[in-house]
Amino acid sequence: MASFRCSHLCYNIPSPALAHYPGSRSVPSVLDFKCTTRKSPRLRSLVVSLALAESDSPKSIGDEALPLFQELADSFRLPPDYFAQLPRDLRLDLNDAAFDLANGPVVEECGQELGGLLLNLSQTWEQADTSTSTSIVSKLPSLQSSLSDNTKAALGKRLLSAGKRFEAMGQYGQGELQRIAKIMVKTGKVLSARPVVTTTENPKTETRMLKFGELQVELTPEKANIGAAIAFVFGILSWGLSQGIESVPENSLQYANDNALLLAKSLRGALLAMCYSSTVLSAFSTGGLILLGRQLASESNSKQQ
């Protein structure tokens, strides 16, 4: 109706600009052009892109993942001793599925809560504990809303890999394993197809720590050089002490009886052995700390460049 009124006005309003006079040129009026209500191609493409973006929004994908998690939880409703009764070759395949589900940095990729859940689930598969496995998988639907896109993508890859292990088990019993494999692969494909959001983080500087029980010391080139100097001084003191002990002749001292003489000789030998070993260890420590200081210095210079 709006287009009809617009075109009607355009064609019926008289205009002085349409009159022709002798010797004058005809000037086209703005009213000569037809009014139109057609959408431009750019506007159409914008509408289409907005519709596609709305259809591919995370909310729609999240709504699709929720029934998949519920179906996955339902597929693990098995008899209490189902996994324990599997043949030996199928138990090995179940252990492989447990490894694929929770191998690597699962907590870093899937978060503390979901990562711990996957670790516990893999342990139940390795122990063939069907009841605990059913209880753990039933918690997945409640975690769906709190998972990020990156976490769901990481979970999808692990479910897809573990589902293929279940597929390799073949037909057993009433087809429970294949039903689990089908839903795991389907859920894994849906979740792993989600776009992964990459964030640029500043690289963390790696620091080497030297631990003495509860005491932790950060290794730097300066501290390594200081440690080398201390080891060198300690080695000199140990060497001087050993030379002082050797310079004392055994016959210069008088002892009450033979037992005291034997005790003094044993103590003298123990002190000499301790001093010489301390000198050797100090020499090795000095050389090692000097080399460590040079290595740390070169690494810090390369990172700065």
Side-chain angles (χ1 to χ4, degrees), residues 78-146:
L78 303 170
D81 55 349
Y82 184 83
F83 288 152
Q85 293 181 352
L86 291 176
R88 188 174 183 277
D89 55 342
L90 297 184
R91 286 284 300 274
L92 294 176
D93 292 336
L94 185 62
N95 291 339
D96 293 338
F99 176 79
D100 291 344
L101 184 68
N103 69 325
V106 60
V107 177
E108 289 78 2
E109 293 179 359
C110 301
Q112 186 69 32
E113 187 174 8
L114 180 60
L117 187 144
L118 294 180
L119 288 173
N120 294 333
L121 181 60
S122 65
Q123 291 179 0
T124 59
W125 290 357
E126 292 174 354
Q127 299 171 1
D129 189 352
T130 310
S131 301
T132 309
S133 174
T134 303
S135 176
I136 293 175
V137 178
S138 63
K139 299 178 182 179
L140 281 176
S142 61
L143 295 178
Q144 187 272 334
S145 59
S146 61

Side-chain angles (χ1 to χ4, degrees), residues 7 23 30 53 83 87 93 95 100 103-105 157 201 203 211 215 217-219 238 242 259-260 263 279 285 287 290:
S7 60
V30 180
F83 288 152
D93 292 336
N95 291 339
D100 291 344
N103 69 325
K157 294 178 181 179
E201 298 180 354
K211 296 182 179 180
L215 178 63
V217 179
E218 181 182 357
L219 291 179
S238 299
S242 64
N259 292 332
L263 180 61
T279 304
S285 300
I290 291 175

Side-chain angles (χ1 to χ4, degrees), residues 160-173:
L160 184 61
S161 180
K164 292 181 179 180
R165 295 289 188 180
F166 276 90
E167 280 184 347
M169 296 182 186
Q171 290 291 337
Y172 178 79

Side-chain angles (χ1 to χ4, degrees), residues 208-220:
R208 296 187 179 185
M209 303 295 294
L210 187 62
K211 296 182 179 180
F212 296 96
E214 296 181 356
L215 178 63
Q216 295 183 359
V217 179
E218 181 182 357
L219 291 179
T220 59

